[in-house]
Amino acid sequence: MSAPGRPVLLVIAHGSRDPRHAATVHALVRRVRALRPDVRVETGFLDFNVPSVRGVLESLETGGVRDVVALPLLLTRAFHAKADIPAVLADAPPRLRVRQAEVLGPSPLLLAALERRLYEAGLAPADKSSTGVVLASAGSSDPEASAVIADIAREWRHTGWCAVRPAFASASLPRTEDAVRQLRELGCARVAVAPYVLAPGFLPDRIARGAAGADVLADVLGPSPEVARVLLERYDAARVPVPAAVVT
C-alpha cells in the first residue's frame, strides 16, 4: 500500500506470447517493491498478457485510488511510448489523475546493468581494454530511438572497452552477427554481445542467434537491481511537480 499522498506506480509492459517475458517483468516488479515498500506497484500489459493496462486502471479507480504514475517499461522513446501508451492512458477513468513517466533509457544505471550482465557471463573488469562489445537492441523504425542506441554505444566506449558497436534485431542495421564480425576485423581480442533488452522473447532470441560467433553472450537486463533503481528514479521524477519558471 502506498504511503498517504503517494501515487500508485503502474508499470506498463508490452507483453508477449513468450511466458518468459511476463515472468521477467513480474520479477523486476518484485524487486522494485522490495526496494520501496512504501510505494504500491501494479503491472499492466499492452498486449498478450493480463492484466491489461485498462483493466488495472479501472480496478484502481474502483478501489478509491486517485493518483497514478504510469511508467513505460521501455528503454527508448519509440512508437509505444509516443502513441500506444498515451492513447491507453487517455481513456483512463476520469476520476484518476494519471501522469506518464519517462522511459528508462538512457541512464548510467543501465550501463552499469549491462556491465553486470557481462561480468556474470564470464568477463572480468581487466578484460575491458581487449574486448569489443556489441550493444544489441531490439530495434525500432523510429530514428530517434536508433540514434539513442548509437549515442549509448559511443558513451560506453569511453569507459574503457576496446570498441562498442550498436546492433539491432529488427528495423535497423547492422544485425548482431554483422557487428560481431566488424569487431573481429577491428582486432579486438574477444567479442561480447550485451543485449540491451529487458526481457526474453522473439527479438532477444534473434540477438542470441546472431551472437553465435562471439566469445561471450550476456543475459537480458531483466530484474537487475540497477533497472529497479531506474524505475524508481523515473517514478520519483514524475510524481514531484516541476516548479514553474520564475519570471523576472
Side-chain angles (χ1 to χ4, degrees):
M1 183 67 66
S2 287
R6 188 158 291 166
V8 170
L9 169 56
L10 172 58
V11 176
I12 300 179
H14 182 272
S16 171
R17 293 186 178 91
D18 189 323
R20 296 174 298 168
H21 173 89
T24 302
V25 170
H26 291 311
L28 174 59
V29 168
R30 286 194 296 272
R31 187 178 285 274
V32 172
R33 289 180 179 136
L35 287 174
R36 289 283 291 276
D38 58 324
V39 176
R40 179 178 174 183
V41 187
E42 301 291 342
T43 308
F45 295 90
L46 290 174
D47 207 353
F48 301 117
N49 302 104
V50 292
S52 68
V53 175
R54 187 186 305 276
V56 174
L57 290 171
E58 291 174 351
S59 177
L60 290 173
E61 191 267 346
T62 300
V65 171
R66 294 295 175 262
D67 203 3
V68 176
V69 168
L71 194 155
L73 199 59
L74 300 167
L75 295 172
T76 58
R77 270 184 52 79
F79 181 79
H80 294 303
K82 295 177 179 179
D84 281 357
I85 291 174
V88 172
L89 298 181
D91 284 337
R95 286 188 289 180
L96 279 183
R97 179 192 183 200
V98 182
R99 287 167 281 181
Q100 182 175 331
E102 292 295 327
V103 298
L104 303 184
S107 167
L109 284 169
L110 295 177
L111 287 181
L114 287 166
E115 295 207 358
R116 169 192 291 274
R117 293 303 190 221
L118 285 170
Y119 297 149
E120 290 171 349
L123 288 180
D127 298 326
K128 289 184 75 168
S129 62
S130 58
T131 302
V133 179
V134 178
L135 179 67
S137 76
S140 171
S141 58
D142 188 316
E144 177 188 347
S146 299
V148 166
I149 300 301
D151 288 342
I152 293 170
R154 282 191 292 270
E155 177 184 347
W156 202 16
R157 162 69 181 84
H158 294 311
T159 66
W161 296 100
C162 172
V164 180
R165 293 286 187 274
F168 307 92
S170 68
S172 304
L173 295 173
R175 296 285 182 257
T176 301
E177 53 268 32
D178 299 324
V180 168
R181 186 172 57 253
Q182 291 169 8
L183 291 170
R184 292 283 188 210
E185 293 170 352
L186 193 63
C188 297
R190 66 184 62 78
V191 175
V193 174
Y196 190 60
V197 292
L198 288 166
F202 176 75
L203 292 178
D205 284 349
R206 181 180 287 177
I207 290 171
R209 290 193 297 271
D215 301 294
V216 173
L217 170 62
D219 199 357
V220 299
L221 296 174
S224 67
E226 295 86 356
V227 175
R229 286 168 57 196
V230 176
L231 262 71
L232 289 169
E233 283 186 356
R234 299 293 184 257
Y235 167 78
D236 287 331
R239 73 182 180 88
V240 177
V242 177
V246 176
V247 179
T248 58

